[in-house]
Amino acid sequence: VSGATMAQPLSVEFAGEVGSGDGLRREWLHTTVSELVNLNRGLFVSNDGGRTLQPNAESAVAAGPDHLSYFALLGRIAGIALYHKDAIPAQLSTAFVKAVFGYPLTPDDLESVDPDAYQQKVVYIRDGVYASRDGMALQELDLTFEVELEFNDYSSVKRKRDTEELKPKGAAVPVTEENKAEYLQLFTEFRLVRGIQKQIAAFVGGMAIFVSPAI
């Protein structure tokens, strides 16, 4: 733990009430974090009814211009909880936690964040479902190291589409049996962290006084 000498214990007292101590600190942590991760606030999204939370790539629009300040605040609160060995009421995705602490992602990390993409892309390609079930060769899928983006257009009811390369000149690189593992790794990293790098950085910055992740 780097920077722990800068950290100080947190003592909480509620206005108009007598008392302090660990119980009040935990109550404050629970209340504050519950508000920040509430899906209606727009900072997080979930594909499993709120059981697993992933930062919203469109939080700037959904939560407003101060969205990164909220992620920094949540990071600071997470650092306080770690310092005091308290739990926080937020089932943050394994992918997000790995990204915060600098651990490498694997294609399996996509399952809880986007189950459909995990089945339709990772399992389908990794396990050769295209051949065993559909009787196709991988080359027949016409995949390249490029992905299609889809995001909300908050000025209308439509969703906009665009594309982005997974690596330089990826649009010209076909996915083959030899490089499909690389493709799935880059696809996973793209879906899980590339679109939320600012949110991750803000969270890490907020937590830095307590923990200095190696990222």
Side-chain angles (χ1 to χ4, degrees):
V1 177
S2 174
T5 56
M6 300 168 55
Q8 299 293 327
L10 175 68
S11 178
V12 175
E13 296 181 10
F14 292 131
E17 297 184 16
V18 178
S20 61
D22 293 347
L24 289 183
R25 183 187 66 247
R26 295 190 187 103
E27 182 180 350
W28 176 81
L29 285 170
H30 188 281
T31 300
T32 305
V33 171
S34 295
E35 176 62 25
L36 286 171
V37 302
N38 187 314
L39 295 178
N40 292 327
R41 181 172 284 277
L43 295 173
F44 289 86
V45 293
S46 176
N47 287 312
D48 58 6
R51 294 189 299 276
T52 304
L53 303 174
Q54 176 79 351
N56 184 1
E58 300 175 50
S59 60
V61 177
D66 293 330
H67 68 121
L68 295 181
S69 297
Y70 295 133
F71 279 103
L73 174 60
L74 185 58
R76 182 61 54 88
I77 293 172
I80 291 171
L82 286 171
Y83 182 87
H84 288 284
K85 299 181 179 179
D86 291 333
I88 59 174
Q91 295 297 323
L92 302 175
S93 72
T94 299
F96 178 57
V97 174
K98 280 186 172 183
V100 165
F101 287 97
Y103 291 104
L105 296 171
T106 71
D108 283 337
D109 293 323
L110 185 62
E111 184 174 14
S112 64
V113 175
D114 193 337
D116 290 339
Y118 177 74
Q119 290 294 327
Q120 296 170 12
K121 185 72 72 172
V122 174
V123 173
Y124 188 78
I125 294 175
R126 183 193 61 195
D127 298 348
V129 178
Y130 52 84
S132 61
R133 189 190 70 189
D134 299 333
M136 299 177 64
L138 183 56
Q139 286 78 358
E140 294 180 76
L141 300 178
D142 292 326
L143 295 172
T144 65
F145 279 69
E146 182 182 51
V147 293
E148 185 177 80
L149 305 175
E150 183 176 306
F151 52 93
N152 284 317
D153 179 357
Y154 285 90
S155 64
S156 71
V157 295
K158 298 180 180 180
R159 293 182 67 84
K160 292 184 177 181
R161 293 180 181 273
D162 201 352
T163 59
E164 187 168 334
E165 294 180 321
L166 296 176
K167 64 179 183 179
K169 299 182 180 179
V173 180
V175 177
T176 66
E177 294 291 346
E178 291 71 28
N179 65 19
K180 69 179 185 180
E182 178 193 9
Y183 170 79
L184 291 176
Q185 180 65 31
L186 293 176
F187 175 81
T188 296
E189 293 171 2
F190 174 84
R191 291 297 295 264
L192 293 180
V193 300
R194 189 181 296 185
I196 58 170
Q197 289 177 333
K198 291 182 179 179
Q199 290 88 336
I200 293 170
F203 187 96
V204 171
M207 195 170 59
I209 188 175
F210 297 96
V211 181
S212 182
I215 64 173

